[in-house]
Amino acid sequence: MSPPQRTPSPEFSPLAIGEDLAPLPAYKSAGTASVDFSGLLADPLKLHEDLTSGCGGQTWPAGMVLAKHMLRYHRDDMKDSRIVELGAGGGLVGLAVAKGCLVENPLIITDQVEMYSLMEHNISLNGLESKAKAAILNWGEPLPQDIADLKPDVILAADCVYFEPAFPLLLATLSDLLRLCPLATVYFCFKKRRRADMQFLKKAQKMFRVTEVQDEDRPIFSREGLFLYTFQAL
């Protein structure tokens, strides 16, 4: 089922949230967790978390929100979609979609080279080699050939707003993807942690059609400073 969409309401707008509302999470020790997304996956996703190669190696809250949203509202409507995940880390969102949604095209989870082995490990851990593959995608650089050939029409991005110098690089990559496939939809979830995050959203609103997405968990995750949007080409 597809949820209704609407523009941000004042009480939940990230632009109104204080700078210190949402501190960074505590770092975890390496280990493997099983996640069923509140029962949305009958067979839980196994996810190895390891911070050895960077902070992307652990599960972040926006990833949980976006994965649950895709499983709840898009389980059966992405059969023919061409899906790529940006800033995948260990691959939480993309692998949840590969495991729990009806998708016929193998999806691509992407991150920097430091995360590549972790993405590969989690694909193998869940037996998803035929449904997902890992790739290196550096924001702000030309899109890799396999991504350009795929022409993704669904782009997943969770917790990609955390490092201000990377904001223009992320915006450039989103622009490249929407130029590649003008009918594509970006599902974008982030946790507002500092004032700079507001600037990212303002820039995105000038570049894309930004719409807040309704979700039955929205009253809960909004109180935690989490926001879920779609971005589309203007």
Side-chain angles (χ1 to χ4, degrees):
M1 56 180 171
S2 297
Q5 296 185 321
R6 63 180 183 181
T7 53
S9 55
E11 68 272 22
F12 287 131
S13 171
L15 306 185
I17 291 211
E19 182 176 8
D20 300 319
L21 175 72
L24 295 172
Y27 289 144
K28 303 176 183 177
S29 300
T32 301
S34 293
V35 189
D36 70 358
F37 303 97
S38 301
L40 291 169
L41 280 183
D43 179 22
L45 179 72
K46 294 182 283 291
L47 197 79
H48 186 70
E49 298 178 275
D50 188 348
L51 287 163
T52 302
S53 297
C55 61
Q58 79 173 51
T59 299
W60 290 65
M64 296 294 293
V65 170
L66 182 54
K68 288 177 68 175
H69 178 83
M70 302 307 292
L71 291 168
R72 179 179 288 130
Y73 295 106
H74 299 285
R75 188 182 294 271
D76 300 315
D77 64 10
M78 297 190 295
K79 179 180 177 182
D80 298 317
S81 296
R82 305 177 303 276
I83 306 171
V84 66
E85 181 182 5
L86 301 180
L92 174 75
V93 181
L95 297 184
V97 168
K99 192 174 182 70
C101 296
L102 177 61
V103 288
E104 293 195 348
N105 298 317
L107 60 80
I108 303 177
I109 59 174
T110 72
D111 209 308
Q112 295 179 305
V113 66
E114 291 83 1
M115 293 292 113
Y116 185 79
S117 62
L118 184 60
M119 293 189 290
E120 287 270 271
H121 178 77
N122 282 327
I123 290 171
S124 177
L125 192 60
N126 290 279
L128 292 172
E129 291 90 345
S130 66
K131 292 188 174 184
K133 75 171 192 174
I136 297 166
L137 192 160
N138 295 312
W139 301 342
E141 296 183 5
L143 295 173
Q145 192 59 50
D146 52 352
I147 303 292
D149 292 342
L150 181 66
K151 293 182 171 60
D153 58 359
V154 172
I155 298 112
L156 308 171
D159 257 323
C160 291
V161 177
Y162 60 89
F163 183 53
E164 187 175 359
F167 291 177
L169 306 179
L170 175 57
L171 289 167
T173 291
L174 291 171
S175 294
D176 289 344
L177 288 166
L178 291 175
R179 192 177 303 113
L180 188 66
C181 182
L183 296 179
T185 299
V186 180
Y187 293 91
F188 195 93
C189 189
F190 75 99
K191 181 164 185 167
K192 185 178 185 299
R193 297 183 173 91
R194 52 186 68 87
R195 192 178 304 277
D197 300 347
M198 177 181 71
Q199 298 304 318
F200 175 87
L201 185 61
K202 284 183 175 179
K203 289 177 182 177
Q205 288 170 332
K206 293 179 180 178
M207 298 173 66
F208 315 118
R209 182 181 300 111
V210 177
T211 307
E212 188 172 16
V213 180
Q214 184 62 284
D215 187 289
E216 66 182 60
D217 288 340
R218 179 173 173 266
I220 298 170
F221 65 68
S222 292
R223 286 196 296 269
E224 298 174 2
L226 288 152
F227 300 90
L228 176 59
Y229 293 92
T230 57
F231 295 175
Q232 294 172 311
L234 293 173

